[in-house]
Amino acid sequence: MSAALDRRRFLLVTGVTGAAVTLDPLRFAAAEAGAEQTLTISGRFEPGAPDWVYVPVRVPPGVRSIAVSSTYDRPAVPAGVPGNALDLGAFDETGFRGWSGGARDSFTISRSSATPGYLPGPVRPGEWRVTLGPYTVAPQGMNWTVTVTLRFGEPGPAFVPSHAPTRANGRGRAWYRGDMHLHSVHSDGAWLPEQIVAGARTAGLDFIVSTEHNTSSAAGIWGHHAREDLLIIDGEEITTRNGHYTALGLPPGTWIDWRYRAVDGVIPRFLKEIHRHGALAVAAHPFCPFVGCQWKFGYGQVDAIEVWNGPWTLDDEAALQMWNGLLVEGRRWIPAVGDSDSHKEGQVIGLPQNVVLADDLERDAILSAVKAGRLYVAESSAVALSFTAAVGSRTAGIGERLNAAPGDQVEVSVRTEGVPAGMIRLFTDEGQVFEGPAGTATWRTTPRVSPYVRAEVRHPDGSMAALTNPIFLGH
């Protein structure tokens, strides 16, 4: 069966599915248990293809499993020109059933199990939609094929999810270390869940957040890998065509849609949905150089900005300066965070990591502390930092406000560990106001001169070892 894109069925849906095309359906007939049916559809994408192309699949009763595979050609392209890349996912007759993006070219779903990235559950009769996303299309175009196989029979035992506990053994109000941006085989990562847990423990982390691209499937297995001393929080990296953002602390199984662009004007709806779930939205790697990764939705309603993503690079430098500019504007303070975004071996889990002052090692306590900005970002567990401001007996720490009059003399103190050759730098709205060797440092100012102060610790080569959220001075 072959089909080209039918432009007469072009649908421009703003706010839900972005620009999408729906093809003619694959129609399967009912069959006896033990039978198997396969249908294939082929097509071609030209440059400028829609964001999403849906292949409807009419599923009859009695299906035990559905298996989908896709292929596409990869012609050579000139240097600097993106080649072909095709994303893959599925929706059933009621909603989302899985996503693998470009990480896989096939999946299987049954009541008992599913390919990572997809949700186990009954293969109910009705219209399913295999979802194709032409991420990039070469100048020569892209020829593609999708094959769907239905296997008939009794559905098998139901999958039983195992969700991670919302609390781990903590130390009461204390500083907890965590990596809030991680990927496993449930999206485009190579890590197995147990390898992420092992890496987190090696990195000295107290908590992690699972942020698979566009899918909630990992939430069903994290309970098998939970440890008493490691808090595992569910999340999602919502991967749109105009940038990525992470949702931290979603209830298990909650899925946030990603099929829109900035021009659709719907991002506030999805941020409100995230907030209704008690979760946080973080603009991820805003200056990432890859296609579709740069953040284009603005910062008006996000809860934090990921200014440090993996080993320190010029992308992070740009993100830090952008965030600093927002801080100087003073309209609304948005905390800064940093995460590894680790996908595989060689990308170190916990480089960097958030050091969060929370009331306990519990999901809501961690999220509350992140939202309040009570955190600094460190390159590893070997790096520690203390940063306070004081007037007499009154003190304030990272993310807090010091109760001081405009003319009060404020003493700012910094103490660092683990960066012996580094330099401490202090910044206010006027820019850098202090530099000295790592270890201990003090600096004095007044709230009239400095509405806030923040700290950085840099290595001799200029790369970042640690950075803090600000302390606000004055009422």
Side-chain angles (χ1 to χ4, degrees):
M1 181 177 182
S2 178
L5 291 183
D6 184 352
R7 293 292 174 180
R8 294 172 298 174
R9 302 195 66 196
F10 180 80
L11 304 176
L12 182 60
V13 186
T14 57
V16 179
T17 58
V21 163
T22 300
L23 303 181
D24 291 332
L26 298 178
R27 302 174 187 273
F28 287 84
E32 299 295 328
E36 181 178 297
Q37 295 184 30
T38 297
L39 292 175
T40 298
I41 183 172
S42 298
R44 177 176 173 81
F45 296 138
E46 301 293 348
D51 286 345
W52 318 113
V53 174
Y54 298 109
V55 179
V57 178
R58 300 282 173 82
V59 176
V63 173
R64 177 185 178 89
S65 68
I66 179 171
V68 176
S69 63
S70 64
T71 62
Y72 60 95
D73 60 349
R74 296 171 172 84
V77 295
V81 176
N84 284 338
L86 184 64
D87 291 342
L88 180 65
F91 291 79
D92 66 14
E93 82 288 357
T94 61
F96 177 76
R97 285 304 292 265
W99 184 253
S100 49
R104 287 186 172 83
D105 57 12
S106 64
F107 64 84
T108 300
I109 298 174
S110 72
R111 185 170 184 249
S112 303
S113 63
T115 301
Y118 295 80
L119 306 181
V123 182
R124 294 178 291 262
E127 184 167 286
W128 288 49
R129 289 181 296 165
V130 174
T131 305
L132 304 178
Y135 183 63
T136 53
V137 178
Q140 302 96 317
M142 178 195 298
N143 297 309
W144 57 268
T145 298
V146 168
T147 299
V148 180
T149 297
L150 302 185
R151 296 179 177 90
F152 293 79
E154 293 299 317
F159 172 79
V160 178
S162 177
H163 299 141
T166 60
R167 180 183 296 274
N169 291 341
R171 305 180 298 277
R173 186 172 176 84
W175 292 95
Y176 296 100
R177 293 177 177 264
D179 192 338
M180 306 189 299
H181 190 163
L182 292 163
H183 297 278
S184 77
V185 293
H186 280 261
S187 58
D188 63 343
W191 293 121
L192 297 172
E194 56 267 34
Q195 291 176 312
I196 289 181
V197 169
R201 297 177 77 132
T202 298
L205 302 183
D206 301 293
F207 69 93
I208 59 173
V209 183
S210 169
T211 55
E212 306 295 358
H213 290 282
N214 296 345
T215 183
S216 58
S217 66
I221 56 88
W222 274 119
H224 297 300
H225 307 283
R227 300 292 183 268
E228 292 182 353
D229 59 348
L230 181 68
L231 176 65
I232 301 173
I233 300 173
D234 290 309
E236 179 186 338
E237 183 170 6
I238 300 99
T239 307
T240 80
R241 291 292 195 254
N242 286 155
H244 303 181
Y245 63 111
T246 56
L248 312 179
L250 291 171
T254 302
W255 169 77
I256 305 298
D257 206 341
W258 30 262
R259 295 168 294 165
Y260 43 88
R261 292 187 181 226
V263 70
D264 296 323
V266 299
I267 190 71
R269 181 198 312 177
F270 296 103
L271 295 176
K272 287 179 182 177
E273 181 181 351
I274 289 168
H275 293 151
R276 280 198 304 270
H277 289 300
L280 304 181
V282 179
H285 45 62
F287 290 90
C288 170
F290 303 123
V291 173
C293 287
Q294 300 91 346
W295 183 248
K296 304 295 185 184
F297 292 92
Y299 301 95
Q301 292 176 279
V302 297
D303 300 294
I305 300 172
E306 189 182 69
V307 303
W308 187 351
N309 180 278
W312 188 259
T313 65
L314 291 177
D315 305 336
D316 303 307
E317 199 72 64
L320 176 64
Q321 296 310 315
M322 179 277 299
W323 171 75
N324 186 66
L326 295 176
L327 187 60
V328 171
E329 286 181 7
R331 297 179 185 177
R332 172 178 171 261
W333 173 49
I334 307 172
V337 302
D339 304 293
S340 74
D341 197 3
S342 178
H343 288 67
K344 59 185 178 181
E345 188 174 353
Q347 298 177 352
V348 178
I349 293 171
L351 170 59
Q353 54 193 250
N354 302 281
V355 191
V356 180
L357 179 59
D359 291 335
D360 207 347
L361 190 52
E362 183 268 335
R363 183 187 66 189
D364 291 343
I366 294 293
L367 296 179
S368 177
V370 171
K371 185 174 183 178
R374 295 197 305 269
L375 68 90
Y376 66 91
V377 186
E379 66 177 351
S380 74
S381 60
V383 176
L385 183 148
S386 172
F387 182 45
T388 60
V391 172
S393 61
R394 301 190 302 276
T395 63
I398 298 168
E400 297 178 338
R401 182 173 294 277
L402 179 67
N403 182 15
D408 283 347
Q409 288 292 314
V410 176
E411 183 173 279
V412 177
S413 301
V414 186
R415 180 174 57 84
T416 66
E417 298 176 9
V419 198
M423 297 295 292
I424 297 171
R425 298 176 182 175
L426 299 180
F427 296 82
T428 72
D429 62 325
E430 296 181 307
Q432 183 175 319
V433 294
F434 173 87
E435 180 174 275
T440 60
T442 59
W443 177 73
R444 291 175 177 82
T445 188
T446 67
R448 180 180 290 114
V449 173
S450 307
Y452 67 86
V453 59
R454 66 176 184 85
E456 297 178 5
V457 185
R458 299 260 185 167
H459 292 292
D461 64 0
S463 62
M464 191 70 70
L467 63 88
T468 76
N469 277 291
I471 302 173
F472 296 95
L473 308 182
H475 299 290

